[in-house]
């Protein structure tokens, strides 16, 4: 019960700035954090808060002291990639009488893992396994809405990075996921929160589309052209996309 708060406290230690001697001590903790990341076949629900705390602490390392992760990245990051995937071992159904509630104890772990790898892309992109990372971003586009937004931001960032060609091998998967999100309909009895999440998912997906359209190696691909013609340029979506284009490219008022 006390392990997760203790591990999370390390996050704030890494965020502190206390000099070289302090950094040398912190470097010893990186290996300890690595050892807290289990494989997907061994992780248990009870461990989920500890694993999440460890990933958040590593994200703090990457944002403040990226050099501490460089020597361990080849061992550490493959574990983090696995944590970005949905894990059925951490999903369960709870009987609430009139309905079954599905609980996903891995959701917060995935969110933390996506955030960590986003920090890697921003600060040390050469450490990324770009094909693996991009495929995980594609999978994240149809994950829980809280993961989805992180995957959308990650794809936009990588499309604007020197590693943008890395999206091409899994472009088909990205297009398929975007088509699924943009074609989704909100249910008739949806509450306000569900409607807002649906609208945000649409806006986020269209931001990804816009970033892809600005990148010629992607925008000229037949699969992307099909997405634009068959999904984006339809009555249900086109107005939203045009509004996004106006916001991205505001026109200056005519001078009198």
């Amino acid at each position: 019960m006390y392990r997760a708060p203790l591990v999370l406290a390390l996050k704030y230690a890494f965020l502190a700035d206390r000099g070289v001697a302090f950094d040398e001590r912190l470097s010893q903790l990186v290996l300890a954090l690595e050892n807290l990341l289990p494989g997907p076949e061994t992780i248990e629900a009870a461990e989920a808060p500890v694993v999440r705390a460890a990933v958040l602490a590593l994200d703090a390392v990457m944002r403040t002291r990226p050099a501490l992760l460089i020597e361990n990245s080849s061992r550490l990051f493959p574990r983090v990639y696995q944590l970005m995937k949905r894990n059925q071992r951490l999903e369960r159904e709870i009987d609430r009488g009139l309905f079954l509630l599905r609980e996903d104890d891995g959701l917060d772990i995935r969110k933390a893992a996506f955030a960590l790898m986003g920090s890697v892309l921003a600060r040390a992109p050469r450490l990324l396994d770009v094909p693996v990372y991009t495929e995980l971003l594609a999978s994240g586009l149809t994950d829980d809405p809280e993961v989805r937004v992180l995957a959308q931001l990650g794809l936009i960032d990588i499309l604007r990075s020197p590693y943008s060609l890395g999206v091409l091998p899994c472009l088909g998967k990205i297009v398929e996921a975007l088509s699924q999100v943009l074609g989704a309909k909100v249910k008739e009895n949806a509450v306000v929160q569900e409607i807002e999440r649906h609208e945000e998912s649409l806006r986020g997906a269209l931001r990804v589309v816009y970033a892809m359209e600005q990148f010629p190696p992607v925008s000229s691909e037949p699969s992307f052209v099909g997405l634009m013609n068959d999904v984006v340029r339809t009555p249900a979506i086109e107005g939203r996309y045009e509004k996004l284009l106006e916001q991205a490219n505001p026109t200056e008022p005519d001078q009198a």
Side-chain angles (χ1 to χ4, degrees), residues 1-60:
M1 178 172 63
Y2 300 108
R3 291 178 70 203
L6 288 172
V7 175
L8 190 58
L10 294 177
K11 167 185 173 181
Y12 300 100
F14 285 115
L15 292 173
D17 186 5
R18 298 185 181 177
V20 176
F22 185 64
D23 285 2
E24 291 176 352
R25 293 182 181 180
L26 292 180
S27 66
Q28 301 171 12
L29 296 176
V30 173
L31 181 59
L33 291 172
E34 179 185 342
N35 292 333
L36 291 174
L37 304 184
E41 69 283 351
T42 60
I43 190 171
E44 300 291 343
E47 297 176 315
V50 177
V51 176
R52 169 185 174 271
V55 177
L56 290 174
L58 288 168
D59 188 28

Side-chain angles (χ1 to χ4, degrees), residues 16 29 64 136 145:
L29 296 176
T64 59
L136 288 166

Side-chain angles (χ1 to χ4, degrees), residues 1-210:
M1 178 172 63
Y2 300 108
R3 291 178 70 203
L6 288 172
V7 175
L8 190 58
L10 294 177
K11 167 185 173 181
Y12 300 100
F14 285 115
L15 292 173
D17 186 5
R18 298 185 181 177
V20 176
F22 185 64
D23 285 2
E24 291 176 352
R25 293 182 181 180
L26 292 180
S27 66
Q28 301 171 12
L29 296 176
V30 173
L31 181 59
L33 291 172
E34 179 185 342
N35 292 333
L36 291 174
L37 304 184
E41 69 283 351
T42 60
I43 190 171
E44 300 291 343
E47 297 176 315
V50 177
V51 176
R52 169 185 174 271
V55 177
L56 290 174
L58 288 168
D59 188 28
V61 177
M62 178 51 62
R63 288 187 284 118
T64 59
R65 296 169 171 83
L68 295 182
L69 290 188
I70 290 177
E71 60 183 276
N72 299 310
S73 62
S74 61
R75 295 193 316 271
L76 175 63
F77 289 169
R79 295 190 185 189
V80 179
Y81 292 137
Q82 291 299 317
L83 295 175
M84 294 171 71
K85 301 177 182 179
R86 292 191 77 113
N87 189 336
Q88 292 185 349
R89 291 175 60 88
L90 299 176
E91 297 180 11
R92 54 199 169 92
E93 289 185 342
I94 301 176
D95 190 349
R96 296 297 191 190
L98 296 178
F99 58 91
L100 290 175
L101 179 65
R102 191 167 188 83
E103 288 285 343
D104 184 354
D105 293 315
L107 174 60
D108 286 340
I109 294 175
R110 295 200 303 282
K111 288 164 55 180
F114 270 87
L116 168 56
M117 300 317 294
S119 297
V120 175
L121 175 60
R123 291 167 174 81
R126 62 189 177 86
L127 300 180
L128 283 172
D129 185 331
V130 175
V132 171
Y133 178 55
T134 307
E135 185 158 347
L136 288 166
L137 290 175
S139 298
L141 292 175
T142 53
D143 202 328
D144 182 274
E146 293 183 67
V147 174
R148 193 177 302 169
V149 67
L150 295 171
Q152 291 167 347
L153 291 172
L155 272 173
I156 291 170
D157 287 343
I158 206 164
L159 282 163
R160 294 172 177 171
S161 79
Y163 301 89
S164 50
L165 289 174
V167 305
L168 292 177
C170 61
L171 181 60
K173 188 173 182 179
I174 294 171
V175 166
E176 182 180 353
L178 290 171
S179 298
Q180 181 178 331
V181 172
L182 293 172
K185 306 294 182 183
V186 65
K187 57 186 180 182
E188 292 184 3
N189 60 343
V191 299
V192 173
Q193 186 179 26
E194 291 174 321
I195 295 173
E196 290 176 347
R197 282 190 172 185
H198 174 73
E199 290 296 324
E200 181 54 38
S201 288
L202 292 181
R203 287 192 293 269
L206 289 175
R207 292 187 193 105
V208 176
V209 170
Y210 175 73

